[in-house]
Amino acid sequence: MHELSICRSISDIVVRHAAGRPVRIVHVRVGALRQIVPDTLVYCWSLVSADTALAGSQLCVDSVPAAIRCIPCEHVTTLSEPLICCSRCGGHDIEVVAGEEFLITSLDLAEV
Amino acid sequence: MGRFHRHDDGHEHGQGHGHGHGHSDLGDHSGYRTGGERIEVLERIFDENDHTAAANRADFDSAGVTAINVMSSPGAGKTSLLAAALRILTETRVGIVEGDIETSIDADRLSGLGATISLLNTANGFGGECHLDAPMVRSALSKLDLTALDLLLIENVGNLVCPAEFSVGEHARAMVYSVTEGEEKPLKYPVMFRSADLILVNKVDLLPHLDYDIDIFFRNLRAVNPTAAVLETSTRTGRGVADFCDWLRTRCTPDPEGSAAARGDTTARSQP
């Protein structure tokens, strides 16, 4: 349940960027290689944002699939399960090219 | 057009479909738009933790201390293994940050073995966290004289999920996995297994009594982490404990190249 403390971090960042303006939607991007459950994150957001200036705002999670690039054969594999292995040559000498993202991308402000 | 309108058809915002405000490609997959302004943030959520982790790391480096983050599920045998290692590492000046949600039981088990211990109860003022993060470790460092240490072992809270996400400024991560946990655990907790530089496969003395196929475990482990060092250990028989100590001593040896990468740099792990 580290989603709760993560939501506190998100809240701090959102408050700083919003600078007092009302926020309607917080867009976050979460890579598949993160140990983060989007539904839990959204639930924890409702708890953390309640009774604050962000109460009623939505957390919108953009999930990014994991992808790896094989260093010898340069093939890029998008992973459907966390098996770190090139789908073309079966090699393990790879680099992760997507799936480790965890950031706030943008805020939609409410009309005032 | 209502205040909310959805783009459930998945069409692209092309020319002639402007909303009169900036439209970044980044993060806009919700399908929700209104007349409200969108502001771009692009800030990593772990930035604050990572800044503190970098400060911890700088303190370790300036004091010449090698810091190892030791992680596992509850009951895998972290504390017993560390106690066994402390009995061998008599020439190494060791400090321990002992993370536990409640009680000083683990810290008590490690006392009297020559190490300086800083206990960090995460339920005491930290909201009962299930992991150590960089600010918590920073607060524990204030109780340790880093210049009097060669090695700092940070015993994380027993948990296979959360600690993997939080860098605390360590140079390397060691994970204790016990064979009683089952062969499939690397596939169920890939983030943790993938983040480790050393996997200690513990309680191997129990193998004759278990319906457990260690080859299946290794196959699963290599599927998620092809490169981690692996040691089979048992604190009951002492198997592998000396090898673990050798691994720790090697990490403490000053690197002639001065290269953090050669010692296993993990602080960049939560970079996107």
Side-chain angles (χ1 to χ4, degrees):
Chain A
M1 278 296 283
H2 56 317
E3 281 84 355
L4 204 54
S5 58
I6 286 169
C7 279
R8 290 191 199 106
S9 299
I10 294 174
S11 175
D12 291 344
I13 296 169
V14 169
V15 164
R16 180 156 41 80
H17 282 269
R21 295 168 290 181
V23 175
R24 200 167 54 79
I25 302 176
V26 178
H27 294 277
V28 297
R29 182 175 299 169
V30 182
L33 292 171
R34 290 290 176 183
Q35 195 88 60
I36 287 158
V37 182
D39 288 350
T40 309
L41 200 64
V42 168
Y43 174 66
C44 289
W45 180 253
S46 69
L47 298 179
V48 167
S49 61
D51 302 324
T52 74
L54 298 170
S57 63
Q58 292 177 49
L59 194 70
C60 183
V61 179
D62 168 26
S63 297
V64 181
I68 56 171
R69 191 179 71 87
C70 181
I71 291 166
C73 87
E74 299 192 341
H75 183 68
V76 173
T77 305
T78 299
L79 305 177
S80 55
E81 46 186 356
L83 304 179
I84 309 295
C85 171
C86 175
S87 65
R88 184 158 75 185
C89 72
H92 290 295
D93 185 12
I94 59 92
E95 62 178 351
V96 174
V97 292
E100 297 195 307
E101 299 82 354
F102 191 38
L103 68 162
I104 301 174
T105 48
S106 62
L107 307 178
D108 287 355
L109 302 179
E111 284 180 283
V112 282
Chain B
M1 189 179 291
R3 176 169 168 78
F4 296 91
H5 71 278
R6 297 190 60 134
H7 290 172
D8 285 337
D9 54 350
H11 71 266
E12 297 294 323
H13 283 210
Q15 298 230 332
H17 191 92
H19 290 262
H21 51 78
H23 183 175
S24 163
D25 288 340
L26 296 162
D28 180 28
H29 302 272
S30 66
Y32 292 95
R33 304 293 300 161
T34 74
E37 188 190 354
R38 166 164 293 188
I39 54 176
E40 191 174 81
V41 177
L42 292 180
E43 185 162 330
R44 294 184 310 118
I45 291 159
F46 285 126
D47 256 2
E48 188 191 357
N49 184 75
D50 289 350
H51 282 139
T52 308
N56 291 346
R57 176 64 168 268
D59 287 354
F60 299 147
D61 287 342
S62 70
V65 179
T66 297
I68 309 293
N69 188 354
V70 184
M71 305 184 284
S72 81
S73 59
K78 286 188 300 301
T79 310
S80 300
L81 203 52
L82 293 184
L86 289 180
R87 291 189 182 93
I88 293 175
L89 291 169
T90 51
E91 305 294 306
T92 307
R93 299 173 301 167
V94 184
I96 292 181
V97 172
E98 181 60 57
D100 248 326
I101 294 177
E102 296 276 9
T103 82
S104 64
I105 292 170
D106 285 0
D108 296 343
R109 286 167 65 195
L110 293 175
S111 69
L113 296 171
T116 312
I117 300 170
S118 179
L119 175 64
L120 196 55
N121 277 143
T122 62
N124 184 11
F126 294 101
E129 288 289 9
C130 47
H131 59 272
L132 297 183
D133 63 22
M136 292 182 211
V137 169
R138 189 142 196 86
S139 75
L141 295 184
S142 65
K143 291 181 263 179
L144 294 170
D145 177 8
L146 289 179
T147 60
L149 300 177
D150 304 309
L151 174 66
L152 183 67
L153 299 170
I154 300 162
E155 183 174 348
N156 217 308
V157 178
N159 182 336
L160 280 187
V161 179
C162 311
E165 285 285 2
F166 294 86
S167 169
V168 297
E170 70 273 27
H171 294 97
R173 292 180 169 191
M175 182 193 167
V176 182
Y177 157 86
S178 63
V179 292
T180 51
E181 295 172 48
E183 300 97 336
E184 78 292 354
K185 286 299 175 290
L187 304 181
K188 287 188 175 174
Y189 301 92
V191 176
M192 171 65 77
F193 279 90
R194 210 172 73 80
S195 79
D197 301 289
L198 171 68
I199 311 275
L200 297 152
V201 182
N202 198 27
K203 307 188 187 180
V204 289
D205 55 292
L206 292 177
L207 283 174
H209 310 288
L210 301 175
D211 293 325
Y212 178 89
D213 187 335
I214 201 165
D215 292 332
I216 294 176
F217 165 74
F218 281 124
R219 199 156 63 232
N220 291 339
L221 172 64
R222 288 312 181 199
V224 301
N225 187 339
T227 56
V230 177
L231 292 173
E232 295 180 26
T233 55
S234 163
T235 44
R236 290 193 75 211
T237 67
R239 178 172 166 189
V241 179
D243 296 325
F244 176 39
C245 293
D246 286 343
W247 185 88
L248 291 170
R249 285 193 199 97
T250 305
R251 294 270 153 176
C252 291
T253 306
D255 178 1
E257 304 287 316
S259 158
R263 293 194 295 177
D265 188 336
T266 59
T267 55
R269 203 170 287 281
S270 55
Q271 308 277 335

